[in-house]
Amino acid sequence: MRAYQDMVFSTAARLAGNDSQAEDIAQEVFIRAYEHFSDLRCSPTAGGWLKTVTTNLALNYLTRYRKRWRLFSELKDGAGDDRSPEPHTEWAVEDTLLADLGAEQRRELIDGALHRLPPHQRVALVLYHFEELSYQEIADKLGVSLAKIKTDIRRARAALAAILQSHGLVRECL
């Protein structure tokens, strides 16, 4: 448990967007790991198994609240109207974008920015960039269209760019 608790919690927190819910998810993951301890004890794939279980439990949690996501997204002006103009943001991020900051500062900045995104955008972005799933795999997992996933990721990147700019990162870096 100690070897994987940070990975399990951070995966759950990024997907759920809520630390208390991430704690509950992590606890459930380790209960399931305990139930499968005889299989996992010497398994070289234990970390992958834990990450998969964490992702699936977090997605199950989010699926229960999907109707709430729609309600909040419908309250915004122009929600659901794909014809509304969006700011165009290029997203060519170099690996050195946040190199001036320490690892803990980078993590806090990125996690804080992720928490400010709408849940449907945050989940799609986390699954794509952190879990390295393809657009189609994300669409299948979430039960939505491929076009919606692409749109959510594009909008999440634009929103993240704006959030990171507000923290002093210049547009040229983004």
Side-chain angles (χ1 to χ4, degrees), residues 6 11 16 27 37 51 54 58 86 92 94 96 98 111 122-123 125 141-142 146 154 165-166 169:
D6 290 340
T11 300
Q27 184 176 22
F37 185 71
K51 190 163 195 146
T54 303
E86 287 189 40
E94 298 179 23
T96 60
L98 302 174
D111 285 348
R122 181 186 64 248
V123 170
L125 193 69
K141 273 193 178 277
L142 298 179
L146 182 61
R154 181 174 47 86
Q165 279 181 290
S166 73
L169 296 173

Side-chain angles (χ1 to χ4, degrees), residues 62-77:
L62 294 170
T63 299
R64 283 183 248 144
Y65 296 98
R66 184 168 287 149
K67 287 182 184 175
R68 192 177 338 172
W69 297 353
R70 288 188 187 128
L71 172 66
F72 289 124
S73 67
E74 289 168 1
L75 293 176
K76 294 181 182 177
D77 290 283

Side-chain angles (χ1 to χ4, degrees), residues 87-125:
H88 177 70
T89 303
E90 291 298 321
W91 192 257
V93 179
E94 298 179 23
D95 289 341
T96 60
L97 175 65
L98 302 174
D100 295 344
L101 301 175
E104 184 64 22
Q105 290 174 313
R106 279 194 308 267
R107 187 193 63 75
E108 287 177 12
L109 182 63
I110 292 170
D111 285 348
L114 285 171
H115 281 81
R116 292 177 60 187
L117 294 175
H120 60 280
Q121 291 178 2
R122 181 186 64 248
V123 170
L125 193 69

